Amino acid sequence: MGRIIGVANQKGGVGKTTTAINLAASFAVLEFKTLLVDADPQANSTTGIGFDLHNITHSLYDCMVNGAKAKDVILRSEIPNLDLIPSHIDLVGAEIEMINYPSREMMLKNVLQEIKNDYDFIIVDCSPSLGLITVNALTAADSVIVPVQCEFFALEGLGKLLNTIKIVQSRLNTSLVIEGILMTMYDGRLRLCNQVVSEVRRHFDEMVFSTIIHRNARLAEAPSAGKPVILYDAHSKGSMNYLNLAKEILQKNDMTKIKQEERIFEI
């Protein structure tokens, strides 16, 4: 049974899509079968792993609005073990089209249910809003990662997101947990960055990942090449950061043993 992890923050520019792409690629490189679901109408996760939007004929929109099967929409990426359900600008209108649907908050959960057993991890890149698509992602997810940029307004809006998560937990998905708060765009030379990390850790303690994502030129360049950073420059700091994040999540969920046991069994 695959673990569904949403990557959500209603603030834009916090490294949400970067995290979704590179965490999914890191799991894949670590030999976990992974599906990346692009639930953002901007479709940056889709282009970020090398797909041309002009060639996308079916997307998440078709699954949620037109009843298409997820397995008919899935695309294989150039990374072994990494698949994609692409997004499309049409997803902007999905919230309005779904407004009168019965159980409209459960549409994505229903879409993913039939393929959940085919993957170890399903990573959902949410749109930068707290609208119906994001609520769908939180309803479908087992856990949620909250990227937070190391900047002055880091905590602004975080309370609103955590409140939305609580509402989803109480009404739609009682098993939803916060996988962790991820500090992104960290620059150790700046006193402000260190202050923000200290403040977030003081407020949220064990909810904050030990791994911190540093500002990194290769990480910023990788999307323009249509590649996760691990393909673009495997030795870069950004690549190492996301591999460490993947390993931290595996350890937290006692999944490192599973993969070791599989390898022993294969031998």
Side-chain angles (χ1 to χ4, degrees):
M1 183 71 79
R3 183 172 183 80
I4 301 176
I5 303 176
V7 183
N9 193 327
Q10 79 272 25
K11 279 188 75 177
V14 297
K16 179 180 55 59
T17 296
T18 300
T19 295
I21 291 171
N22 292 296
L23 178 59
S26 295
F27 281 139
V29 166
L30 292 169
E31 297 181 12
F32 288 88
K33 192 153 175 50
T34 307
L35 175 68
L36 176 60
V37 179
D38 192 348
D40 184 347
Q42 295 176 79
N44 291 333
S45 280
T46 302
T47 56
I49 61 168
F51 290 96
D52 185 342
L53 294 181
H54 295 100
N55 298 329
I56 302 292
T57 54
H58 295 93
S59 68
L60 184 63
Y61 171 85
D62 295 287
C63 295
M64 295 184 74
V65 176
N66 297 331
K69 299 285 187 187
K71 64 180 185 327
D72 297 330
V73 175
I74 290 171
L75 302 172
R76 313 270 176 239
S77 80
E78 63 177 309
I79 300 178
N81 298 316
L82 180 59
D83 294 345
L84 171 78
I85 292 182
S87 184
H88 192 273
I89 191 65
D90 287 349
L91 203 57
V92 169
E95 296 199 358
I96 297 166
E97 292 180 60
M98 288 162 55
I99 204 75
N100 292 320
Y101 283 24
S103 306
R104 60 184 180 269
E105 299 90 354
M106 312 291 286
M107 300 304 292
L108 183 58
K109 182 173 186 174
N110 295 337
V111 167
L112 297 179
Q113 202 63 45
E114 63 189 53
I115 55 164
K116 196 174 180 182
N117 290 334
D118 298 338
Y119 294 94
D120 297 304
F121 287 100
I122 298 175
I123 309 296
V124 184
D125 180 20
C126 301
S127 60
S129 73
L130 294 180
L132 185 55
I133 302 292
T134 299
V135 171
N136 261 267
L138 295 176
T139 304
D142 298 300
S143 63
V144 57
I145 293 173
V146 183
V148 174
Q149 189 177 355
C150 296
E151 57 155 37
F152 184 71
F153 294 112
L155 294 174
E156 188 182 271
L158 194 53
K160 197 177 285 186
L161 175 63
L162 294 176
N163 191 48
T164 301
I165 290 169
K166 275 184 188 170
I167 292 167
V168 171
Q169 284 171 327
S170 63
R171 297 182 192 172
L172 297 165
N173 184 0
T174 52
S175 60
L176 178 67
V177 296
I178 294 173
E179 192 76 45
I181 293 170
L182 177 67
M183 304 305 301
T184 63
M185 303 182 195
Y186 174 79
D187 186 340
R189 299 167 298 179
L190 301 178
R191 185 189 299 172
L192 175 64
C193 281
N194 292 298
Q195 287 173 341
V196 169
V197 171
S198 297
E199 188 179 356
V200 172
R201 287 200 192 283
R202 184 168 55 83
H203 271 84
F204 299 102
D205 195 25
E206 292 179 1
M207 284 169 63
V208 185
F209 284 111
S210 300
T211 304
I212 293 176
I213 309 301
H214 292 70
R215 275 195 186 277
N216 180 247
R218 308 302 273 171
L219 191 58
E221 291 165 7
S224 64
K227 295 176 185 290
V229 71
I230 202 158
L231 276 192
Y232 187 70
D233 186 348
H235 302 292
S236 67
K237 195 160 207 171
S239 180
M240 295 300 155
N241 287 165
Y242 278 108
L243 271 172
N244 288 336
L245 176 64
K247 288 171 183 173
E248 186 175 345
I249 292 169
L250 291 170
Q251 286 170 351
K252 185 178 176 183
N253 292 289
D254 292 324
M255 291 184 74
T256 47
K257 295 173 191 169
I258 295 168
K259 192 50 72 175
Q260 284 166 358
E261 284 167 10
E262 280 178 9
R263 285 197 182 118
I264 291 166
F265 185 72
E266 284 167 6
I267 293 164

